[in-house]
Amino acid sequence: MSKDTEIKKISFLAKIRNYFLAGIVVLIPIGITIYFSIFVERAFSNLLPKYLNPNNFLPFDIPGLEILITFFIITFIGMLSVTFVGRYFINLNTKLFNRIPVLKTIFNGLTQLTKSFASDDTNNKKKMVLIEYPRKGIYSLGFATSVNSGEVTDKVGEKMINIFVPTTPNPTSGFLLVVPEKDVTYLDMSFEEASKFIMSAGSIKS
């Protein structure tokens, strides 16, 4: 085999490798996005009662219809919640859960967590923090949910911050850390920017 033929063969194999890697770069985000969309759609279809899901009555399924209907239902409930009647029923529901020992703890905890992440006030940017975890010199991005005011702070004897550290690529799962305020660095990035940064495993600029 001549030197020119060998060079051409290597060049051809290099192109094939580059095309293969390019295909991976294109297909992985598409595949994961489609898988996530199907997962979300199935989750929403299970949330909707059969009599509210048009796909149960149509001769064919319309992709994403469950998500759209659920979005409008949640938005409509949100509109009702700011009215006098809506607030009355919400307070009634809260009182009901607060009478049940185990559910009371779960309900109140989830309520506070949801309010913290759903907040759209001007202080929302300051909720994104940086902490040295799992050891010195390695940093993790987290969401400062609140100032700790319980037994932990009393035992430690200094101001502590409750921080939710999300996992990649699913920022809705993670774990809670209670960190001294002096060890917390507050960031200017928004909740959306932080979520994109975490879901992309840091590939999107924060």
Side-chain angles (χ1 to χ4, degrees):
M1 183 183 296
S2 66
K3 189 174 182 179
D4 290 340
T5 304
E6 187 176 349
I7 292 174
K8 288 181 179 179
K9 183 178 180 180
I10 294 174
S11 178
F12 175 76
L13 292 176
K15 285 183 178 180
I16 294 297
R17 186 198 62 177
N18 291 338
Y19 290 152
F20 178 77
L21 292 176
I24 290 177
V25 171
V26 171
L27 290 176
I28 285 181
I30 294 175
I32 293 177
T33 303
I34 291 174
Y35 176 81
F36 182 75
S37 300
I38 294 173
F39 173 79
V40 171
E41 185 175 346
R42 287 178 179 174
F44 275 90
S45 64
N46 292 330
L47 285 176
L48 278 179
K50 290 185 177 181
Y51 58 84
L52 289 179
N53 191 344
N55 281 334
N56 289 323
F57 307 102
L58 295 174
F60 54 88
D61 286 346
I62 301 178
L65 187 60
E66 293 93 346
I67 299 176
L68 187 62
I69 293 175
T70 306
F71 171 79
F72 280 116
I73 291 175
I74 293 174
T75 304
F76 179 70
I77 292 174
M79 291 172 60
L80 289 179
S81 69
V82 298
T83 65
F84 175 79
V85 176
R87 285 196 300 268
Y88 172 78
F89 281 105
I90 290 174
N91 291 334
L92 194 64
N93 178 73
T94 301
K95 290 179 181 178
L96 176 64
F97 276 111
N98 283 332
R99 290 178 179 273
I100 306 174
V102 178
L103 293 183
K104 176 177 69 174
T105 304
I106 299 174
F107 176 75
N108 290 331
L110 290 175
T111 299
Q112 291 299 323
L113 181 64
T114 305
K115 285 182 178 179
S116 177
F117 288 140
S119 174
D120 59 353
D121 56 28
T122 55
N123 293 323
N124 191 38
K125 284 191 174 183
K126 293 186 178 180
K127 290 181 179 178
M128 307 306 134
V129 299
L130 201 63
I131 57 173
E132 286 190 277
Y133 180 84
R135 65 169 176 81
K136 287 286 186 181
I138 296 180
Y139 293 86
S140 294
L141 190 67
F143 304 134
T145 57
S146 63
V147 176
N148 185 278
S149 58
E151 184 181 358
V152 175
T153 296
D154 296 336
K155 295 291 185 181
V156 175
E158 62 177 305
K159 189 175 182 180
M160 307 292 288
I161 307 296
N162 298 326
I163 297 174
F164 176 75
V165 178
T167 56
T168 300
N170 179 17
T172 60
S173 66
F175 44 90
L176 172 67
L177 296 178
V178 184
V179 183
E181 188 181 39
K182 60 182 176 63
D183 296 329
V184 177
T185 301
Y186 288 89
L187 303 174
D188 291 328
M189 69 172 64
S190 66
F191 177 82
E192 290 77 14
E193 291 170 339
S195 298
K196 290 178 182 178
F197 180 72
I198 294 166
M199 292 179 68
S200 67
S203 61
I204 294 179
K205 185 178 179 181
S206 59

